[in-house]
Amino acid sequence: MAEQNIESKLKNLLKQEKIQLWSPPYTQLDNDNQPGTQHMQELAERYALMMGLSIAEVGGALESIRVQAVKRGKRNQTFRETSVATLELQLPKDCKKDLKAKDYLETRLDVLVQEVVDRIGEKFGLRFIKLILNGKTLSLDQRLDLQGVKNHSKVMVLRVSDTRMKQQLSQDEKKNHNESLQRSQKGFQILSERDGSQDPDTTPFLEIADQKGNPLKIPERERKALILAMGLHEKGRSLMKRKQYDDALCHLLQADQHFSGFDSALLSSVDNYAVLQLDIVWCYRALEALHCLSDAGSRLQRAERCFLQCYGEQRQRLLRIKGNSGTEEVLFLRLYLLQSLLSYLNGDDSQARQQLSKVELLYNRLCLDSDKVEQLMALGFTEREVRLGLRACGGDPQKAAIHISNCRQREELRQRERMKRRTRMEAIATLTELGYSRNDAARALHHADGDINRASEVRLVDLGFDRDLSETALRLTGGDIPSATQLLLDNQGVLTPPSTSSASSSPSSEDPASASTSTSAEDDELVNEVLGDISRHEDDYLDLTLEEEMVLQLQIKGPTSSCDK
């Protein structure tokens, strides 16, 4: 990181003085047959004095810049003459023999991405990878040039999970798809087609709501797309917690692609989109994707703009609605920290220090007193509850205890509502299996005050049959509405034992519903799989320990101080 900082500063100085290290006199051979040794030495001495660094350190950085510039010029000439471009690859760290050396691949730009993926896999021993350019995943079945790839483009190579791929996918699918991402997308796609009734415990956490917690009313098509986008974001966050940043970034970028299709007014009314931008840049940091600085800067700008529109310039909207802004302050801490990092890597130490001072103020305010944490946990509160409670109440343990208790009461109310919802939906599912449409089942339950047995009778009464006869027919057919209906029709309301025996036989094995059993089971498996990654706590994204933030903070400013309480 320090080397990047020095090189960025030197590039800024060279640009200001219009010095081109790839041109004479810096490329002319001296008496010792070395290019521009004397001139490079003079430049290193002058810049070292200006920057307060050693001559050797500055000289090494200048030589690195010069060599890169000369090679770039040669590659430009190659591209002009042969149309063969050079791509700079950002490989996974464990695939690099020399962490400081850069990796390149020469290719024409009119080839499919799949061909490049195959070559990268063969050259570097990688399987199941995705290529990322400027924050966008390159499509395997399209050409490089049609997706914005140019000579000297910097491309990130992400390794994606392959466990299930090896077990379940065909060879062609292994070659073309990431199974983990594909399963996530399909699972959330299925979930988005449902109305929430089949997943009452979890679907509320995929609803987009305003700062008061009220679900926003949006068109059905957009609602489905939002569930897909938010679901992929949640999956990405769960992977981030497990430090699986390659897979996480794939999911987050896919979520970003779905979010980007929405009206800006919608995205600015909630903080989901801003948090997603922060999470993507945090993955860039974890993967040391230094070449993504430009895309990271744009994302942080979008995040800050969205936060300000959503919370207010001075968090006034947040204070008015929630009564505090303590828990959301962690988002601003991470925002300022990432902004400081980008400024540092770009060689702008002044801007980096300015943002870092904001980080330190927030960090000292949000860093928790261990005695207070133990005091509250002794009362039976969880560490997550204590962390969020203390931050919401400015570190006051008495207020935090009341705040946490109130939160628990609200959660109990939500749990009871979800339980009522689950019971109702299970009843609807049962009635649907008995022959009701979902609408008819819901209507029957409403008229029967939620009693599933009475609702079954309502169905037959609606068809014009006597209530007592309907009860008898249902009892004789084991509650099977289609059979009970046929029984009443065949016997014109006179239920004799012989006809009862024949009518109570099991339904035909050719029932069309049975044909979809396998598909339904597969759908349920996918949905349950993706729902497993959705946190049951709505404020989970605010629950940061700040341990990683502290480490990064010290890396930027040096180990001068920390929060010890």
Side-chain angles (χ1 to χ4, degrees):
M1 196 160 65
E3 291 179 358
Q4 173 81 13
N5 173 261
I6 294 172
E7 285 197 11
S8 294
K9 289 179 181 177
L10 288 172
K11 288 178 180 178
N12 291 336
L13 288 171
L14 293 169
K15 185 177 181 180
Q16 291 172 13
E17 299 185 9
K18 298 181 180 180
I19 295 176
Q20 299 178 332
L21 296 183
W22 60 90
S23 302
Y26 303 101
T27 55
Q28 291 177 339
L29 297 179
D30 293 338
N31 295 332
D32 57 0
N33 206 35
Q34 295 296 319
T37 303
Q38 180 179 350
H39 293 90
M40 289 289 287
Q41 180 67 19
E42 292 174 354
L43 201 59
E45 292 174 357
R46 183 158 63 87
Y47 283 166
L49 184 62
M50 294 171 61
M51 299 170 64
L53 299 173
S54 69
I55 296 175
E57 197 171 16
V58 174
L62 283 171
E63 178 61 17
S64 174
I65 294 172
R66 188 192 69 80
V67 170
Q68 292 176 40
V70 170
K71 289 182 177 179
R72 185 182 181 91
K74 292 180 179 178
R75 290 168 182 147
N76 282 336
Q77 182 177 355
T78 299
F79 182 65
R80 287 193 299 269
E81 295 174 352
T82 66
S83 296
V84 174
T86 301
L87 307 182
E88 182 180 331
L89 304 179
Q90 171 83 22
L91 295 171
K93 287 191 292 186
D94 58 357
C95 294
K96 294 175 66 69
K97 296 179 180 178
D98 184 353
L99 293 178
K100 294 184 179 180
K102 296 183 178 181
D103 297 284
Y104 299 92
L105 183 78
E106 293 186 343
T107 178
R108 293 180 61 88
L109 299 178
D110 56 358
V111 301
L112 297 180
V113 172
Q114 182 64 62
E115 180 179 326
V116 176
V117 166
D118 292 342
R119 289 182 56 198
I120 292 174
E122 182 178 352
K123 182 176 181 179
F124 299 102
L126 288 168
R127 299 180 65 196
F128 313 123
I129 59 176
K130 283 185 175 293
L131 303 185
I132 309 296
L133 175 71
N134 297 327
K136 303 293 183 183
T137 302
L138 297 181
S139 300
L140 297 174
D141 57 354
Q142 295 183 26
R143 288 170 28 168
L144 292 170
D145 53 0
L146 298 181
Q147 299 186 72
V149 181
K150 301 176 181 178
N151 188 30
H152 303 302
S153 282
K154 298 177 180 180
V155 178
M156 181 189 296
V157 180
L158 286 183
R159 182 194 286 115
V160 291
S161 60
D162 61 351
T163 303
R164 286 201 182 97
M165 293 174 78
K166 295 176 181 177
Q167 299 172 350
Q168 300 176 14
L169 301 185
S170 68
Q171 291 299 318
D172 287 339
E173 288 174 321
K174 285 182 181 180
K175 184 177 181 182
N176 292 308
H177 298 286
N178 164 252
E179 192 270 350
S180 174
L181 182 57
Q182 292 289 327
R183 287 181 69 84
S184 295
Q185 278 196 279
K186 186 174 181 180
F188 285 117
Q189 185 69 50
I190 294 169
L191 186 62
S192 73
E193 296 294 334
R194 299 178 175 180
D195 60 7
S197 61
Q198 290 152 289
D199 315 285
D201 285 338
T202 311
T203 302
F205 296 100
L206 287 177
E207 289 179 344
I208 192 163
D210 59 22
Q211 291 303 308
K212 294 181 180 179
N214 300 319
L216 296 178
K217 294 183 178 180
I218 56 177
E220 180 64 13
R221 183 184 61 82
E222 292 189 0
R223 184 194 69 82
K224 292 179 180 180
L226 268 177
I227 288 181
L228 183 56
M230 295 170 67
L232 289 169
H233 186 189
E234 287 294 323
K235 174 69 174 182
R237 289 183 59 80
S238 72
L239 291 167
M240 288 175 67
K241 289 182 178 180
R242 300 197 290 268
K243 311 299 183 186
Q244 298 175 14
Y245 290 108
D246 292 75
D247 262 358
L249 185 56
C250 284
H251 284 79
L252 296 176
L253 291 175
Q254 200 69 24
D256 182 65
Q257 182 177 334
H258 289 289
F259 265 122
S260 62
F262 291 102
D263 183 80
S264 59
L266 173 64
L267 297 181
S268 63
S269 64
V270 292
D271 60 8
N272 303 66
Y273 185 61
V275 174
L276 174 61
Q277 303 310 305
L278 281 187
D279 288 340
I280 290 174
V281 180
W282 195 254
C283 282
Y284 286 166
R285 172 209 62 85
L287 295 169
E288 298 183 6
L290 302 183
H291 67 281
C292 292
L293 292 181
S294 177
D295 183 59
S298 298
R299 291 186 183 279
L300 293 182
Q301 287 178 359
R302 289 198 291 272
E304 184 169 28
R305 185 166 57 249
C306 185
F307 280 139
L308 293 178
Q309 291 173 337
C310 183
Y311 298 152
E313 291 286 341
Q314 303 298 324
R315 324 278 200 274
Q316 65 269 23
R317 292 179 193 153
L318 203 56
L319 291 169
R320 186 170 61 250
I321 294 167
K322 296 183 65 176
N324 71 82
S325 62
T327 51
E328 278 77 8
E329 294 289 2
V330 296
L331 301 175
F332 286 91
L333 185 149
R334 183 169 278 192
L335 171 67
Y336 298 148
L337 183 58
L338 289 171
Q339 288 175 335
S340 178
L341 174 63
L342 260 61
S343 295
Y344 177 76
L345 293 175
N346 281 321
D348 191 343
D349 287 358
S350 175
Q351 182 65 23
R353 284 193 297 269
Q354 182 179 335
Q355 294 304 102
L356 201 59
S357 65
K358 296 181 183 179
V359 173
E360 290 172 344
L361 286 173
L362 284 174
Y363 185 79
N364 291 331
R365 191 156 70 231
L366 297 170
C367 193
L368 303 178
D369 186 317
S370 58
D371 291 337
K372 294 178 181 179
V373 172
E374 292 177 5
Q375 175 186 342
L376 287 169
M377 290 185 68
L379 297 176
F381 299 132
T382 67
E383 185 176 354
R384 182 193 64 83
E385 288 176 320
V386 170
R387 192 158 42 235
L388 292 170
L390 283 172
R391 287 173 181 164
C393 299
D396 187 313
Q398 283 75 32
K399 292 181 179 179
I402 297 173
H403 175 83
I404 296 170
S405 297
N406 290 337
C407 288
R408 282 189 169 186
Q409 290 177 3
R410 289 193 294 271
E411 179 57 28
E412 287 174 3
L413 288 174
R414 285 193 289 265
Q415 288 283 7
R416 285 199 290 270
E417 286 299 316
R418 283 197 288 271
M419 183 58 68
K420 287 171 59 179
R421 188 180 181 187
R422 171 175 286 280
T423 301
R424 174 178 171 77
M425 292 313 126
E426 287 176 348
I428 288 177
T430 299
L431 291 173
T432 302
E433 291 175 359
L434 295 176
Y436 277 80
S437 70
R438 291 188 65 84
N439 289 335
D440 287 344
R443 186 163 50 250
L445 276 173
H446 175 71
H447 291 312
D449 295 325
D451 188 314
I452 189 170
N453 293 321
R454 287 176 54 201
S456 299
E457 298 171 12
V458 169
R459 171 66 166 170
L460 295 176
V461 172
D462 284 346
L463 294 175
F465 297 113
D466 178 78
R467 180 177 294 277
D468 291 337
L469 289 175
S470 298
E471 291 179 4
T472 303
L474 284 169
R475 187 168 56 253
L476 291 172
T477 58
D480 189 298
I481 292 178
S483 296
T485 303
Q486 191 61 48
L487 175 63
L488 291 168
L489 290 173
D490 290 345
N491 295 277
Q492 299 180 358
V494 179
L495 302 181
T496 61
S499 61
T500 298
S501 173
S502 61
S504 61
S505 60
S506 61
S508 169
S509 59
E510 299 300 318
D511 188 341
S514 63
S516 63
T517 301
S518 176
T519 301
S520 177
E522 292 174 2
D523 287 355
D524 289 343
E525 179 185 354
L526 278 173
V527 169
N528 290 333
E529 182 179 308
V530 297
L531 289 182
D533 290 304
I534 297 178
S535 172
R536 294 300 192 272
H537 304 290
E538 293 174 294
D539 52 8
D540 181 70
Y541 71 107
L542 301 172
D543 182 29
L544 303 180
T545 65
L546 301 184
E547 293 174 359
E548 289 183 280
E549 285 78 1
M550 182 186 70
V551 172
L552 181 55
Q553 180 181 345
L554 295 177
Q555 287 177 340
I556 297 174
K557 74 169 187 176
T560 56
S561 64
S562 62
C563 184
D564 262 329
K565 293 190 178 181

